[in-house]
Amino acid sequence: MGQWKAPLSLRVREALRAELEQYAAREKRTLGNIGELIVEWGFEQLKIAGSTERLLKHKISLSEEPPPRRR
């Protein structure tokens, strides 16, 4: 059986909501499902970083190629 889920309400910019809705439609998911995925992933990243300050200092590589190997 599935897990019980609690509702969560967030306020975001209208432009961000529109973009999230576009991604959700493209992925054939609901906005709530995309939001849940992002919140769970983001919270795991926050726990690893240890603070919001440290989390915001890290950058995510947007290239599809793996990082270069060090010799």
Side-chain angles (χ1 to χ4, degrees), residues 5-71:
K5 295 184 180 182
L8 176 66
S9 177
L10 301 171
R11 291 183 179 269
V12 296
R13 294 176 289 108
E14 287 182 27
L16 176 58
R17 181 184 172 122
E19 271 193 280
L20 288 169
E21 287 172 337
Q22 288 174 352
Y23 271 87
R26 188 170 54 201
E27 297 270 330
K28 294 183 176 44
R29 296 178 178 269
T30 65
L31 181 58
N33 185 254
I34 292 290
E36 178 185 357
L37 186 144
I38 292 170
V39 167
E40 287 186 7
W41 177 84
F43 185 56
E44 289 302 315
Q45 300 306 304
L46 176 59
K47 290 191 297 187
I48 291 166
S51 72
T52 54
E53 186 176 310
R54 288 185 62 205
L55 178 67
L56 294 173
K57 286 182 181 177
H58 289 75
K59 300 290 182 196
I60 297 172
S61 174
L62 299 179
S63 70
E64 294 292 322
E65 299 175 20
R69 296 177 117 188
R70 292 185 176 175
R71 294 181 184 184

